[in-house]
Amino acid sequence: MQTPDSGAPDSGVNERILRETGVDAKVADVVEPVLNTLGFRLVRVRLSGLNGQTLQIMAERPDGTMTVEDCELVSRTVSPVLDVEDPVSGKYHLEISSPGIDRPLVRKSDFADWAGHIAKVETSAMHEGRRKFRGRIVIGDTDSVTIESDQISYGNEPVVRIPFDLISDARLILTDDLIRDALRRDKALREGRIPGDDLGSDPSNDTQEAAPGEADAEKK
């Protein structure tokens, strides 16, 4: 697994290639500059009908970490901004969270960081006769990612190159290998080391679970 780029959230491979639409896009436009100012980067915005209305803002630091304290800081900061801009009609429940282990892949750098792991990818239009793909991430070029199928699928190509501009949704699939790598990466970051330098270590020695942080607030 490659080390995440810690550059500016909106530069190069760190610019989000998956964008929201409708109300989600309005919220993203409001909160993304605020998150960047705080030193975080936006992963995803999603308004759902859960508990009436739930507005989930998923964020992380450039190194991929996000603690409960970080979530609380983001919640305290973006809440008044959302009150002023008012992009969501009616009452809603505000949820600030980290991406989690089986995270969405929203940047080119995400695909590079988690190369070798299994992901589900959906495209906005038919590609190679289908729109849904599953397989191991292979680093492609600057314009695409290659997916090697991990399942027997008759009639479908086992290796597919997918242009980034066709991807409408992508996320990692939870596997034992992914959990091990996520725990190692989390431990390395907390110890100030570069992720990937401890591939031979035993993640069972890690006492802190690499679980998403979360902060909630009720909004009117």
Side-chain angles (χ1 to χ4, degrees):
M1 182 177 59
Q2 296 187 5
T3 304
D5 191 329
S6 58
D10 59 350
S11 63
V13 296
N14 285 321
E15 183 177 358
R16 289 196 307 149
I17 59 174
L18 301 186
R19 293 287 180 172
E20 294 80 4
T21 59
V23 175
D24 293 347
K26 293 180 181 179
V27 175
D29 288 343
V30 171
V31 303
E32 189 161 21
V34 179
L35 290 172
N36 292 347
T37 300
L38 292 173
F40 299 96
R41 58 184 186 180
L42 179 64
V43 176
R44 185 184 71 192
V45 171
R46 179 169 292 175
L47 181 66
S48 70
L50 186 65
N51 295 327
Q53 282 195 115
T54 294
L55 177 63
Q56 182 196 55
I57 298 175
M58 194 177 285
E60 64 185 353
R61 291 189 178 276
D63 64 5
T65 60
M66 189 71 172
T67 66
V68 172
E69 291 75 19
D70 290 336
C71 291
E72 292 171 348
L73 171 61
V74 170
S75 181
R76 290 195 304 270
T77 307
V78 304
S79 183
V81 177
L82 290 171
D83 286 342
V84 172
E85 298 296 334
D86 199 23
V88 181
S89 300
K91 295 182 179 180
Y92 62 90
H93 183 70
L94 177 63
E95 177 185 290
I96 308 297
S97 69
S98 72
I101 295 178
D102 54 342
R103 58 169 298 136
L105 304 170
V106 300
R107 294 175 167 84
K108 294 180 181 180
S109 59
D110 291 340
F111 290 90
D113 293 342
W114 297 101
H117 290 286
I118 297 171
K120 281 185 177 179
V121 178
E122 295 186 18
T123 56
S124 57
M126 294 292 286
H127 181 64
E128 301 291 340
R130 52 190 168 131
R131 293 179 61 176
K132 294 184 178 182
F133 304 83
R134 171 185 162 129
R136 201 168 302 279
I137 301 170
V138 179
I139 298 177
D141 52 37
T142 57
D143 298 318
S144 66
V145 63
T146 298
I147 300 293
E148 293 182 348
S149 178
D150 66 319
Q151 299 175 330
I152 297 175
S153 181
Y154 297 103
N156 293 326
E157 291 294 329
V159 180
V160 179
R161 173 184 168 275
I162 306 175
F164 283 122
D165 60 9
L166 274 184
I167 298 176
S168 60
D169 189 52
R171 71 163 43 248
L172 292 172
I173 299 296
L174 198 63
T175 64
D176 290 343
D177 286 343
L178 177 60
I179 293 171
R180 280 193 293 268
D181 273 4
L183 288 173
R184 287 174 180 139
R185 178 175 175 275
D186 180 69
K187 183 178 181 181
L189 288 170
R190 287 187 286 105
E191 294 178 352
R193 294 181 287 108
I194 298 174
D197 285 351
D198 58 347
L199 293 181
S201 65
D202 183 1
S204 63
N205 293 329
D206 192 4
T207 58
Q208 179 173 334
E209 182 183 2
E214 187 173 293
D216 299 327
E218 193 72 31
K219 304 288 291 178
K220 294 183 178 181

